[in-house]
Amino acid sequence: MKISKKIEQSTKEGKIWWSFEYFPPRTAQGLQNLLDRIERMRALGPEFIDITWRVSSPIPPADATDPPRRNAGGRTSDLTSEMVKTCQGLLGIETCMHLTCTNMPREKVDIALEEAKQHGCRNVLALRGDPPAGKDEWEAVEGGFVHGIDLVKHIHKLYCDYFDIAVAGFPQFQLLPPEERDLEMKYLKDKVDEGVDFIFTQMFYDVEIFIDWVKAVRAAGITIPIVPGIAPIQTWNGFLKATSLAKIKIPQSYMDALEPHKNNDEKVREIGTKLVADMCRKILDADLGIKGLHFYTMNLEKGTKMLLEELNLVPRIETIKPLPWRQSLTPNRRQENIRPIFWANRAKSYLSRTENWDEFPNGRFGDSRSPAYGELDGYGVSLKQTKEQALKLWGEPKSFSDVAELFARFCEKQLTALPWSDQPASSETAVIASDLANMNRLGFLTINSQPAVNGARSDDPRFGWGPSNGYVYQKAYLEFFVNGELLELLISHIELDPNMTYYVINKQGDLRTNTHSDGPNAVTWGVFPNKEIIQPTIVEAISFMAWKDEAFELGCKWAYIYDAGSPSRKLIVDIMNDSYLVNVVHNDFKDPDAIFVPFFKAGEEYAASHPQQNHAVKTNGFVN
C-alpha cells in the first residue's frame, strides 16, 4: 500500500501514526538480528518502515596513474534490496526503499526499481546522496543522475504513478541567509512539482525552527504531507556526534538538561526521552496538519520504545505465534525450540539477558552480532571537518614525524580532533596522555585507547557510568596504525606477557591474532545494585574486521583534503597503504602500566637500529 494512502486514511480517522527507519548492518549476524528486531518492533505499531541505501565503491588511488582500490565494505545496496524483500514478504511490513544517485548508473537504478516492484514495494525515497567513499565532493557516475529531481523524473517515466515518491526536507535551511534559503525552497518546490507524494525531514531538535520551516513550505505552495524525522537521544556522545555530523542546532535547554549527566547514559536517555517527547507534542499540537512521526531508530529498540511510551502511543497488539514464545531468526537460535520455564512470563527479560549487548553505552567495538553495529548514521564514512577546518587543524605534514607529532599533540590535548576522533581526547585519556604521546613519537599512531580501571565508583567524574552506587572496571586497551618492521618488534615483546592479546589486520583484510578464543573479550564492565554484571564494550574478531574498512577509509578521507600530487596526500595515502591496524588488550586490569612496556621496548630498539632517522619511523623501506 502506498504511504500517502496510509497517511490519508489515518488523517480521516483522526489518529496519530508513526514509522521507523533502519539501515543495513555491516555483518551477516547483525542482519539476522536486525530482522529479528524489526519483527519485534512491529508490535510497537508502525504504519511502515523504511530502509536506507548505501553503495560501496572503489577507494581512489594516491596518484591519478594508480589503479583504484576496491572498498571491501560489502554490497550494501544489494542488502537494501534483500531487506526490502524480507520486510515486505516474510515480515509483512509496508516498506519504503531509499534510492540515491551516488555511484548509481542508470541501469543499476532500473534494476533496483524493478526488484522493488517485484517485492511488492510501492514507496521510494529519492535522494541525491552523499559523496562516494574517498571523495570530498559529490559527482555523478557515467550514465547516472546529477540531482534528486532527475531521479524523480526517471522513476515517473518508467513507472508512472506505481510508486509513491518521497524526497528529503531540511528544516535547518531556515537558518540560511535569505537568498540561499529561498533557493533551497525553490529546489524543493521543483521536485514536488515533478510528482513527489510526501516529504521526510532531516532530524532536528529545535521545534521552533521546524514549525517556521513548515509554514515556509506551505507558503511556497507545497501542500503534500510532511513527515517530521525524530531522533531519540540514545547516549551523550552519540547525541553530540549525530548533531555535529548533520550540523543540527541544539537548543540550549537540551544542553543544560543533558550535560550534567553526560557520564550516565541511562540518565541521558531518560532525560532525552522527555525532551524529545515534549518536542513531538508541540509538533502534533501546532495546527500544522501533521499527525505522524518518523523515528530514526539507528537500529536500536529501547530509545524508540521509551519515546513512544512517554507519548502514550504504544499499542497493545495480540499476536499469534508458532510457539508459546516468539521464535528468533538469529543463526544461533533458528532451531531453538526449548527455553527454561522460569521465563515463561518474562520473554523480554530472557532475550535481553542473552543477546542485548547494545542497549547500554556503546564503545568503539560493539558486539558484531548487534544489528546496531555499523556507522552512526548508516550513510557512510565522512570527516566532520570541512577542507578549510581540516587544513587549519592538521596543516600540511611532509614527513612521518610530522604526522606522529599531530597524534601526540592530540593525546596531550593540544589538538582538538583527528580524523578518527571528532571530539577532543576524553578526560580519562589524561591518565595515560604522556604514555600515549611517547608511543606516537616512537611510531605507533594511536586512534583509540582506554586506561585500566579497577573498581571506580559509577559516579566517578572521570571513569564513572551507569546507575548510582555501582562500580566500573576496564582493561587497558590500545588501537593504532604501525609499519610492518616495528610491528614485528612489538609482537616479539607482547608474546612474553601471557596477559596480552592482540589483533592485527592489513588493508586487504588479512587477520593475525594470538587469542585462542572465538568469543568476545569484555574490556569494560560494571557492577550495580540489583543488576547483573553489564558488559557494554567488547573486542572480538568480526567487529574488528568490519571496523577496519572504516578506519582505513578515514585515513583516505584525510589524504584527500590535500591536492592531487601534493606531498601531504602521498604521505598519508602511503601510510594507510603500508600500515597495519592493531588492537592490544592487557587483561590484568589491576596493573595499569603493564600494557605500555612492550611498546617502549620495541620503540627504543627500532630507534637504535635506525639512528640516521633521528627517531623518525621508516614505513616499508621509505624514510619519512
Side-chain angles (χ1 to χ4, degrees), residues 539-554:
V539 172
E540 48 92 31
I542 298 175
S543 295
F544 189 52
M545 288 188 285
W547 158 245
K548 163 287 276 190
D549 296 321
E550 185 174 339
F552 280 105
E553 174 65 10
L554 284 166

Side-chain angles (χ1 to χ4, degrees), residues 74-126:
R75 301 179 65 190
T76 51
S77 56
D78 297 339
L79 184 55
T80 298
S81 183
E82 285 301 310
M83 284 186 65
V84 170
K85 176 181 178 181
T86 301
C87 294
Q88 284 281 145
L90 181 62
L91 303 184
I93 302 175
E94 199 68 57
T95 305
C96 177
M97 181 182 75
H98 288 214
L99 189 58
T100 78
C101 302
T102 303
N103 283 342
M104 292 288 287
R106 190 179 304 261
E107 55 270 21
K108 194 167 184 178
V109 168
D110 292 347
I111 291 171
L113 290 170
E114 179 57 32
E115 289 179 349
K117 184 177 180 181
Q118 290 173 3
H119 304 333
C121 174
R122 301 295 303 272
N123 306 282
V124 174
L125 172 57

Side-chain angles (χ1 to χ4, degrees), residues 497-615:
D497 187 341
N499 286 314
M500 297 187 75
T501 52
Y502 65 82
Y503 288 98
V504 175
I505 197 166
N506 61 15
K507 199 169 186 179
Q508 290 70 42
D510 303 311
L511 186 70
R512 174 182 176 184
T513 182
N514 68 340
T515 182
H516 302 292
S517 171
D518 293 331
N521 182 1
V523 293
T524 305
W525 64 99
V527 182
F528 307 100
N530 303 313
K531 287 181 177 285
E532 288 191 335
I533 292 174
I534 298 169
Q535 304 175 82
T537 312
I538 66 168
V539 172
E540 48 92 31
I542 298 175
S543 295
F544 189 52
M545 288 188 285
W547 158 245
K548 163 287 276 190
D549 296 321
E550 185 174 339
F552 280 105
E553 174 65 10
L554 284 166
C556 292
K557 290 285 189 182
W558 181 16
Y560 272 76
I561 70 170
Y562 302 108
D563 294 336
S566 66
S568 295
R569 178 185 283 202
K570 185 178 187 306
L571 169 67
I572 297 169
V573 169
D574 284 347
I575 291 173
M576 289 297 99
N577 286 341
D578 300 336
S579 292
Y580 293 84
L581 181 64
V582 186
N583 74 65
V584 175
V585 176
H586 199 288
N587 293 285
D588 184 356
F589 57 89
K590 295 183 178 181
D591 191 346
D593 300 320
I595 193 170
F596 294 103
V597 173
F599 290 88
F600 296 149
K601 288 182 177 178
E604 290 167 3
E605 290 176 11
Y606 187 89
S609 64
H610 299 79
Q612 74 280 7
Q613 295 183 42
N614 191 28
H615 297 272

Side-chain angles (χ1 to χ4, degrees), residues 7-72:
I7 295 174
E8 181 181 340
Q9 183 176 330
S10 295
T11 301
K12 287 180 180 178
E13 295 173 0
K15 72 174 185 179
I16 297 171
W17 59 269
W18 52 93
S19 54
F20 301 151
E21 178 179 289
Y22 303 97
F23 63 85
R26 297 188 63 184
T27 66
Q29 203 166 6
L31 172 62
Q32 292 296 330
N33 266 358
L34 177 58
L35 295 175
D36 182 49
R37 180 161 291 177
I38 291 173
E39 184 179 19
R40 183 165 66 248
M41 290 180 71
R42 181 182 181 184
L44 298 178
E47 283 293 323
F48 61 89
I49 65 172
D50 77 332
I51 307 295
T52 68
W53 185 273
R54 292 183 292 159
V55 184
S56 61
S57 64
I59 297 175
D63 187 88
T65 60
D66 295 336
R69 304 184 301 279
R70 171 57 57 184
N71 180 354

Side-chain angles (χ1 to χ4, degrees), residues 265-279:
D265 278 328
E266 201 169 72
K267 191 68 174 178
V268 167
R269 180 181 281 170
E270 176 188 333
I271 295 171
T273 296
K274 294 185 181 299
L275 290 171
V276 176
D278 185 58
M279 179 184 76

